[in-house]
Amino acid sequence: MISVKDGISISEMARIHGLTRQTLIYYDNIGLFKPERVDSNGYRYYSWAQIPYLREICFLKHTGIPLKKIQEHFQNRTPEREVELLNRQRRVLECRIGDLQRLRGLLNIRIENYEKAIEAHTMERQIEPFLEDFEERRILFRQWDQPINRTNLHRTVMALWQEISERIRMPVCTFGTLVRQQSVRTGDVLAGAGSIVFLPPWDRTFAEARVLPGGKYACMYKYGMPYEEEHVHRFLRWIDKNGLELAGDIVDACLLDTTFYQYMDTAKDFCMLQALVRKKGYFRISTK
């Protein structure tokens, strides 16, 4: 029961609004919400008439409007200015909701990749190639710095990572390597190869992004670095043996990188080779 003899105490005012005494003291100090009176002992007291004002402050703050903006707003508060303020905050919230939804999408992609890696890590499927359907994907590509080694591989990936971070707020979800179809045809597999990062499905910021078409992909799990050609040659032999041929570049998508080496049986990345394929008929695949 609230005592009204001397007004509403700071503790009671805080309690009925779900605040702390320290919060009301802070509001007083910055001039946002001051008590009706302060007695000779320094105790703060509020009136019933002040409750709607504090209630409104609490609402605006809960929507995410900064206290400074609320304070400025209350210096000349009208219904029209309140609508304008709330509309601005609604746009801010809609932007945040969009970011959160996109971030949730990235988490879903990362979780799916890890679940595939965990399953493949413990199954024979990691040895035998297979076919899988993929939807269209967009990537950024950067040719490897030379010579091709682990250090330059990391440098190339990080250059791409930095390029993306400067233009969009979302983090990169998956990275890997691109082996050119033309290089496979000539037999020089790593000629023109480079690192890639997979862009979020909803992002259209990068006009220079390459498109990986949707369709039927030959896939093969492997332990190894992307510049170790023997995995690609084994992959190509399987494709050729099964009456298929490349219909695009080869992607070497990294599923478990160096941060998981303690978990794995080898100090090499766990990856999936992926290549859009079709029935033979257009050209023969060069194999070794």
Side-chain angles (χ1 to χ4, degrees):
M1 192 71 178
I2 299 176
S3 171
V4 295
K5 179 180 179 181
D6 299 315
I8 305 173
S9 71
I10 186 172
S11 296
E12 292 169 333
M13 197 68 159
R15 181 180 60 80
I16 63 178
H17 287 86
L19 303 173
T20 65
R21 292 178 71 258
Q22 288 73 22
T23 297
L24 288 183
I25 292 172
Y26 178 69
Y27 287 178
D28 181 9
N29 290 337
I30 66 174
L32 174 61
F33 186 73
K34 304 185 75 66
E36 186 176 70
R37 71 182 183 88
V38 180
D39 68 13
S40 58
N41 294 318
Y43 292 110
R44 294 169 171 84
Y45 292 94
Y46 302 85
S47 71
W48 283 99
Q50 289 181 282
I51 287 179
Y53 292 93
L54 183 55
R55 185 173 63 222
E56 182 65 14
I57 290 171
C58 290
F59 169 76
L60 295 176
K61 183 176 182 295
H62 191 70
T63 67
I65 299 174
L67 291 178
K68 184 177 180 181
K69 292 290 184 182
I70 297 174
Q71 191 170 7
E72 294 172 355
H73 176 62
F74 267 81
Q75 292 173 1
N76 183 24
R77 183 170 180 252
T78 66
E80 291 80 9
R81 293 187 71 244
E82 182 96 359
V83 169
E84 182 181 347
L85 176 70
L86 295 178
N87 272 327
R88 283 200 303 269
Q89 187 60 16
R90 179 169 61 182
R91 290 191 291 271
V92 170
L93 293 176
E94 288 171 347
C95 183
R96 289 178 183 171
I97 290 170
D99 284 346
L100 288 173
Q101 289 175 334
R102 288 186 285 272
L103 185 56
R104 181 179 61 183
L106 290 179
L107 286 175
N108 288 338
I109 293 172
R110 181 67 69 92
I111 290 169
E112 182 180 349
N113 287 341
Y114 284 158
E115 287 177 342
K116 284 184 177 180
I118 292 169
E119 179 185 13
H121 184 69
T122 57
M123 292 177 59
E124 293 183 359
R125 189 185 186 191
Q126 63 180 285
I127 300 174
E128 183 66 20
F130 56 95
L131 295 175
E132 185 170 325
D133 290 316
F134 281 89
E135 296 182 355
E136 180 182 286
R137 294 167 292 173
R138 299 174 71 251
I139 59 172
L140 285 186
F141 170 84
R142 184 184 181 96
Q143 191 166 323
W144 281 331
D145 294 337
Q146 299 295 322
I148 302 173
N149 53 38
R150 190 186 295 255
T151 299
N152 283 334
L153 176 67
H154 287 309
R155 286 176 178 168
T156 310
V157 172
M158 290 313 300
L160 281 171
W161 220 298
Q162 183 177 3
E163 181 181 352
I164 291 176
S165 66
E166 290 173 352
R167 294 165 66 177
I168 61 174
R169 296 191 298 270
M170 291 291 120
V172 174
C173 197
T174 311
F175 64 93
T177 292
L178 189 76
V179 174
R180 297 176 181 272
Q181 181 183 13
Q182 182 60 37
S183 299
V184 173
R185 291 184 183 181
T186 61
D188 188 4
V189 171
L190 296 183
S195 295
I196 60 172
V197 292
F198 292 85
L199 294 170
W202 53 85
D203 181 76
R204 292 297 181 268
T205 305
F206 300 89
E208 69 274 28
R210 300 188 181 196
V211 175
L212 297 176
K216 188 74 68 177
Y217 278 71
C219 302
M220 186 183 82
Y221 292 110
K222 67 163 179 93
Y223 288 102
M225 304 308 294
Y227 44 78
E228 297 172 345
E229 295 187 35
E230 63 269 22
H231 303 290
V232 175
H233 292 303
R234 175 174 164 243
F235 185 49
L236 291 171
R237 286 194 295 269
W238 183 90
I239 291 173
D240 185 62
K241 179 181 177 181
N242 284 270
L244 303 170
E245 62 185 10
L246 291 182
D249 298 328
I250 298 176
V251 172
D252 189 346
C254 184
L255 302 180
L256 300 177
D257 59 14
T258 58
T259 58
F260 288 101
Y261 281 0
Q262 187 175 2
Y263 159 77
M264 296 188 290
D265 301 327
T266 178
K268 292 188 175 182
D269 295 353
F270 185 55
C271 307
M272 179 197 279
L273 291 172
Q274 307 166 0
L276 184 67
V277 292
R278 62 193 172 202
K279 292 290 186 181
K280 283 184 181 179
Y282 293 92
F283 59 86
R284 294 288 298 174
I285 300 173
S286 174
T287 61
K288 290 186 179 180

Short mmCIF file of all heavy atoms in Angstrom, two decimals, residues 13-20 58:
data_model
loop_
_atom_site.label_atom_id
_atom_site.label_comp_id
_atom_site.label_asym_id
_atom_site.label_seq_id
_atom_site.Cartn_x
_atom_site.Cartn_y
_atom_site.Cartn_z
N MET A 13 8.09 4.63 -5.58
CA MET A 13 7.98 5.02 -6.98
C MET A 13 8.76 4.06 -7.87
O MET A 13 8.29 3.66 -8.95
CB MET A 13 8.49 6.45 -7.16
CG MET A 13 8.06 7.10 -8.47
SD MET A 13 6.26 7.40 -8.49
CE MET A 13 6.16 8.67 -9.76
N ALA A 14 9.92 3.65 -7.41
CA ALA A 14 10.73 2.70 -8.17
C ALA A 14 10.03 1.36 -8.25
O ALA A 14 9.99 0.72 -9.32
CB ALA A 14 12.10 2.56 -7.52
N ARG A 15 9.46 0.91 -7.12
CA ARG A 15 8.84 -0.41 -7.08
C ARG A 15 7.67 -0.52 -8.03
O ARG A 15 7.54 -1.52 -8.75
CB ARG A 15 8.41 -0.73 -5.65
CG ARG A 15 7.75 -2.11 -5.49
CD ARG A 15 7.33 -2.37 -4.06
NE ARG A 15 6.38 -1.39 -3.58
CZ ARG A 15 5.06 -1.42 -3.86
NH1 ARG A 15 4.58 -2.38 -4.63
NH2 ARG A 15 4.25 -0.49 -3.39
N ILE A 16 6.80 0.45 -8.04
CA ILE A 16 5.59 0.35 -8.86
C ILE A 16 5.89 0.48 -10.36
O ILE A 16 5.04 0.15 -11.20
CB ILE A 16 4.51 1.39 -8.45
CG1 ILE A 16 5.02 2.81 -8.68
CG2 ILE A 16 4.08 1.15 -7.01
CD1 ILE A 16 3.98 3.87 -8.34
N HIS A 17 7.09 0.94 -10.69
CA HIS A 17 7.48 1.03 -12.10
C HIS A 17 8.51 -0.02 -12.50
O HIS A 17 9.00 -0.01 -13.63
CB HIS A 17 8.03 2.44 -12.42
CG HIS A 17 6.98 3.50 -12.45
ND1 HIS A 17 6.56 4.18 -11.32
CD2 HIS A 17 6.24 3.99 -13.49
CE1 HIS A 17 5.62 5.05 -11.65
NE2 HIS A 17 5.41 4.95 -12.97
N GLY A 18 8.84 -0.90 -11.57
CA GLY A 18 9.82 -1.94 -11.88
C GLY A 18 11.22 -1.40 -12.07
O GLY A 18 12.00 -1.96 -12.85
N LEU A 19 11.54 -0.30 -11.38
CA LEU A 19 12.86 0.31 -11.48
C LEU A 19 13.62 0.16 -10.17
O LEU A 19 13.10 -0.37 -9.19
CB LEU A 19 12.74 1.80 -11.83
CG LEU A 19 11.96 2.14 -13.10
CD1 LEU A 19 11.76 3.65 -13.21
CD2 LEU A 19 12.67 1.60 -14.33
N THR A 20 14.85 0.62 -10.16
CA THR A 20 15.63 0.68 -8.92
C THR A 20 15.71 2.11 -8.42
O THR A 20 15.51 3.07 -9.20
CB THR A 20 17.05 0.14 -9.14
OG1 THR A 20 17.74 1.02 -10.06
CG2 THR A 20 17.03 -1.27 -9.72
N CYS A 58 9.36 5.22 -19.12
CA CYS A 58 9.67 3.79 -19.10
C CYS A 58 9.31 3.12 -20.41
O CYS A 58 10.05 2.27 -20.93
CB CYS A 58 8.93 3.11 -17.94
SG CYS A 58 9.54 3.56 -16.30
#
